[in-house]
Amino acid sequence: MRLLISFVALFLSISLLQLSSGAIGPLDALAGLHNGFSKASIGLMGSAHFLGFFIGCWWAPRLLGKVGHARTFAIFSSLGAIGAIAHPLIPDPNVWAGLRILTGLCVAGCYTVVEAWFQAKLTKQNRGRVMGIYRVVDIVSSSGAQLMIGLLDPVSYVSYNILAIMCCTCLLPLALTTSSQPVTPQAPRLKPIATILLSPLGAAGVLIAGLTSSAFRMVGPLYAQEISLTATQTGYFLATVMLGGALAQYPAGWLADQYDRRQVLLGLSLMSALVCFPLAWIGQTTFFLIITGAILFGVATWPIFSVSAAHTNDFADPEKSVEVNASLMFIYGVGAIFSPLIASVLLDRFGPSSFYVFIGFAHVALLAYSVYRRRKGRIVENRTRYTIFPRTTFQIGRLLRRDPRKDEETVIK
């Protein structure tokens, strides 16, 4: 209990940050529509966010090594506050895309600091409990951010001011904590090609996870508007997907620990495709069916990242786990950067059904590749245990590192 109390400041900081950064994407989509932005421009803003996130994941560990945890957190949260509060000054889609790069930098940098702080303080005996609470805080805050869309007026500058205030406030708990700062960690090396060769299927799963999650988070509000959902209903729609994903994590993890992970990925990708294609044609139907489909979509798609990362780590040496997970983030970012722009263009040209069709075909590709890799593989020992990844940053490898020599199961790559 004393340990958890010592982490209250970190939990509170990350909760406020998530409420701010998680709401700005849907708010930008709704505000952009009110300002007459094209759907492609709104998709570009989503891509810009993940470009900033991608850059932040590379830059944050290096900055952390130079100025320390608290200063790095202050730098990135300040960038996020600037990105939020400057929106009403110049209502131009290209300017907003540049500001979204700042919010992406903020998310990546602040989460890297918090997770590095955890990494330095946790032990094998308490890591599971603390990370479980961290995951709950992250999911609840992320869902709350989506629900805020029903309360924020997209045409008022006050909405962006509120998000900027939350981003500034996240500085206070970390600045006021009496806990000593951890020793600065070394920045991991980035070797994406080596990671792809290590586990081609794991890399493919992470790529599709980045494509799916970024498309839904950034273009999902546009889809909701296309099928005539209100702002409040849009918030419920987005939050429900995350709820479905949260509910699926532990069952998916149990299956991933009991069976061949390639088979689990095959099943998840099959389920995702079977969910997406019917959803593409329900269109403007009852809100109950839309929400039910959103839950199923979250259940099918959200665990894919964690299963893919666990599969990749099955083949990594313990001392290489940080570099492997850093490279997985690089691959995730590639899918996340381009996906919102592609999805928004398809939505604009072919209507709302194209949104789920795009994601569905991505999972069909993963399904086909899973079948291929299941037939063509090699046997390896020392299987790692499935772990739910709280956030995708360079520090996760250190946070969730396990000794695979303690796991006696055998798996087939």
Side-chain angles (χ1 to χ4, degrees):
M1 180 60 68
R2 183 177 300 175
L3 176 71
L4 293 178
I5 292 175
S6 68
F7 287 138
V8 166
L10 295 178
F11 290 144
L12 186 55
S13 288
I14 217 65
S15 178
L16 290 166
L17 175 69
Q18 182 64 275
L19 286 171
S20 173
S21 61
I24 198 167
L27 182 62
D28 268 359
L30 299 180
L33 290 176
H34 278 287
N35 288 323
F37 297 174
S38 68
K39 293 182 179 65
S41 296
I42 296 174
L44 177 62
M45 288 189 283
S47 294
H49 171 89
F50 284 102
L51 175 61
F53 184 85
F54 181 76
I55 296 171
C57 286
W58 175 84
W59 182 31
R62 288 154 178 78
L63 186 62
L64 188 63
K66 293 180 179 179
V67 301
H69 293 69
R71 289 180 178 177
T72 301
F73 191 91
I75 290 170
F76 283 107
S77 59
S78 298
L79 291 175
I82 293 170
I85 204 168
H87 272 73
L89 298 179
I90 309 176
D92 178 84
N94 295 320
V95 174
W96 282 21
L99 295 176
R100 288 301 298 279
I101 292 177
L102 297 183
T103 60
L105 281 166
C106 170
V107 172
C110 289
Y111 269 92
T112 296
V113 170
V114 170
E115 290 166 6
W117 201 307
F118 279 132
Q119 173 247 324
K121 299 292 184 179
L122 296 179
T123 65
K124 292 181 180 179
Q125 289 72 33
N126 56 38
R127 177 173 289 129
R129 288 174 294 162
V130 174
M131 295 309 294
I133 295 174
Y134 176 45
R135 179 59 176 164
V136 170
V137 170
D138 189 45
I139 291 175
V140 170
S141 301
S142 181
S143 300
Q146 310 309 310
L147 295 175
M148 284 173 59
I149 297 305
L151 304 175
L152 298 174
D153 184 358
V155 299
S156 173
Y157 72 93
V158 174
S159 299
Y160 286 101
N161 284 3
I162 291 173
L163 298 184
I165 289 171
M166 286 183 176
C167 193
C168 291
T169 307
C170 78
L171 273 167
L172 298 179
L174 202 67
L176 294 174
T177 182
T178 57
S179 300
S180 58
Q181 290 191 55
V183 177
T184 301
Q186 278 189 330
R189 299 178 64 186
L190 189 65
K191 297 180 179 179
I193 300 300
T195 299
I196 292 172
L197 295 175
L198 180 69
S199 178
L201 178 59
V206 167
L207 179 71
I208 296 301
L211 183 152
T212 299
S213 62
S214 64
F216 192 88
R217 289 178 60 188
M218 299 302 164
V219 186
L222 295 181
Y223 169 81
Q225 294 295 296
E226 285 288 310
I227 60 174
S228 302
L229 296 186
T230 66
T232 300
Q233 289 174 330
T234 298
Y236 284 123
F237 171 67
L238 298 174
T240 301
V241 171
M242 296 185 181
L243 175 62
L247 293 175
Q249 290 288 350
Y250 285 101
W254 183 85
L255 290 172
D257 282 341
Q258 298 298 317
Y259 302 100
D260 182 354
R261 283 174 182 159
R262 294 174 310 166
Q263 188 172 343
V264 176
L265 276 175
L266 190 155
L268 288 172
S269 55
L270 175 61
M271 189 183 348
S272 299
L274 292 176
V275 168
C276 286
F277 290 118
L279 287 177
W281 308 115
I282 62 173
Q284 296 176 342
T285 183
T286 64
F287 186 60
F288 174 77
L289 285 178
I290 293 172
I291 289 296
T292 302
I295 292 177
L296 295 175
F297 179 80
V299 167
T301 60
W302 246 242
I304 287 177
F305 179 89
S306 293
V307 175
S308 300
H311 180 67
T312 304
N313 278 277
D314 285 341
F315 308 102
D317 295 331
E319 62 273 12
K320 298 292 184 181
S321 61
V322 178
E323 287 77 11
V324 166
N325 286 292
S327 299
L328 288 177
M329 189 56 242
F330 178 93
I331 298 166
Y332 176 93
V334 171
I337 289 171
F338 295 104
S339 177
L341 181 58
I342 296 172
S344 63
V345 171
L346 291 174
L347 186 69
D348 190 32
R349 292 187 179 181
F350 302 105
S353 62
S354 65
F355 176 67
Y356 277 120
V357 169
F358 168 63
I359 296 175
F361 273 116
H363 287 289
V364 168
L366 180 60
L367 171 63
Y369 194 60
S370 298
V371 172
Y372 170 75
R373 292 303 305 176
R374 194 167 184 270
R375 292 178 178 177
K376 181 181 179 181
R378 58 187 175 86
I379 298 176
V380 296
E381 297 181 353
N382 302 326
R383 174 171 172 157
T384 60
R385 295 174 185 171
Y386 175 92
T387 304
I388 299 174
F389 278 48
R391 294 293 290 184
T392 45
T393 71
F394 278 165
Q395 300 300 328
I396 277 186
R398 287 193 174 112
L399 276 172
L400 305 180
R401 181 185 294 175
R402 294 179 182 270
D403 187 353
R405 291 171 293 185
K406 294 183 179 180
D407 300 311
E408 298 177 354
E409 297 178 80
T410 301
V411 295
I412 302 175
K413 182 180 178 184

